[in-house]
Amino acid sequence: MNENQPNTLPPEYFDQVYQANRDPWGFESRPYEREKYTATLAALPRPHYPEAFEIGCSLGVLTEQLARRCGHLLAVDVSEAALAQARQRCAGLPHVAVQRMQVPEELPEKQFDLILVSEVGYYWSAADLALAADRLIGRLLPGGQLLLVHWTPPVHDYPLTGDDVHALFLAKAGDGGPLRHLAGQRHETYRLDLLEKR
């Protein structure tokens, strides 16, 4: 874990990144992202999730694809600049709600069949990650699924690595834990883990 940057990255960090570049991580253009989105959707074992929650939706590129598998999808991010693009991209999808929300401090009251935490957990401090894990497990319906997808190489700005994030959630899938681990994949620069609430 990076001791020099122990705090969760603030919304201003992301606003500055999006102001400098409308697609700073190449979500719309990089073959890496396209391949990862394909792997993400393929990892979901159910054809349909009545209620889904995507944390860190950014420009909504994955949101638009995930929406085909959802009865209702709530997609959230901390950056208004990113959300403006996500709202535009999903404007023709009335079952998708795009909102500004700062997880883990803010969470919807309802419970979900699917929660997606993709490329967002390493922006939290260790304390906020632990809080997020507990609160997100509380927002899963029994039998609800939690899909984690994260870049694994360290990034010096980020408080945690993708492996740190997955390790914390996987620890809750041990004996007697609230989750069970259904599947995992490790690719060259990212990993994916699917968990289910007991």
Side-chain angles (χ1 to χ4, degrees):
M1 294 186 189
N2 186 341
E3 297 302 323
N4 299 326
Q5 182 69 272
N7 297 321
T8 294
L9 295 182
E12 300 78 44
Y13 172 93
F14 299 97
D15 288 334
Q16 289 167 5
V17 168
Y18 285 107
Q19 283 162 11
N21 183 340
R22 67 173 295 279
D23 186 8
W25 288 281
F27 295 135
E28 296 175 326
S29 58
R30 288 177 61 207
Y32 161 80
E33 294 295 343
R34 279 197 296 276
E35 187 274 327
K36 188 183 66 184
Y37 295 152
T38 299
T40 298
L41 295 168
L44 295 172
R46 298 176 190 163
H48 183 77
Y49 293 84
E51 292 286 344
F53 181 33
E54 180 191 7
I55 301 166
C57 67
S58 185
L59 313 180
V61 179
L62 180 57
T63 311
E64 183 182 28
Q65 299 174 50
L66 181 63
R68 299 172 196 147
R69 306 268 298 271
C70 303
H72 181 263
L73 171 59
L74 173 60
V76 304
D77 203 282
V78 295
S79 169
E80 278 298 346
L83 289 169
Q85 294 187 61
R87 288 187 186 106
Q88 191 173 13
R89 178 171 275 111
C90 298
L93 302 171
H95 65 297
V96 176
V98 178
Q99 294 179 13
R100 187 186 183 284
M101 190 174 288
Q102 191 167 349
V103 178
E105 294 89 346
E106 301 172 305
L107 278 175
E109 290 302 315
K110 67 195 300 182
Q111 287 186 299
F112 298 91
D113 305 280
L114 172 67
I115 297 177
L116 177 63
V117 182
S118 177
E119 308 291 14
V120 68
Y122 42 54
Y123 297 132
W124 292 324
S125 66
D128 277 348
L129 177 67
L131 181 62
D134 288 341
R135 289 186 170 177
L136 292 176
I137 290 166
R139 293 302 191 277
L140 275 176
L141 289 160
Q145 294 179 343
L146 173 70
L147 183 60
L148 306 169
V149 187
H150 288 88
W151 174 263
T152 48
V155 179
H156 100 100
D157 277 356
Y158 300 174
L160 302 172
T161 67
D163 285 325
D164 293 333
V165 174
H166 288 235
L168 183 131
F169 279 94
L170 288 169
K172 297 181 179 295
D175 288 343
L179 299 173
R180 59 193 187 99
H181 188 220
L182 298 184
Q185 302 171 23
R186 182 176 279 277
H187 298 260
E188 186 179 353
T189 53
Y190 74 94
R191 65 182 293 182
L192 187 154
D193 282 289
L194 180 69
L195 301 114
E196 186 173 87
K197 189 169 180 178
R198 294 184 194 275

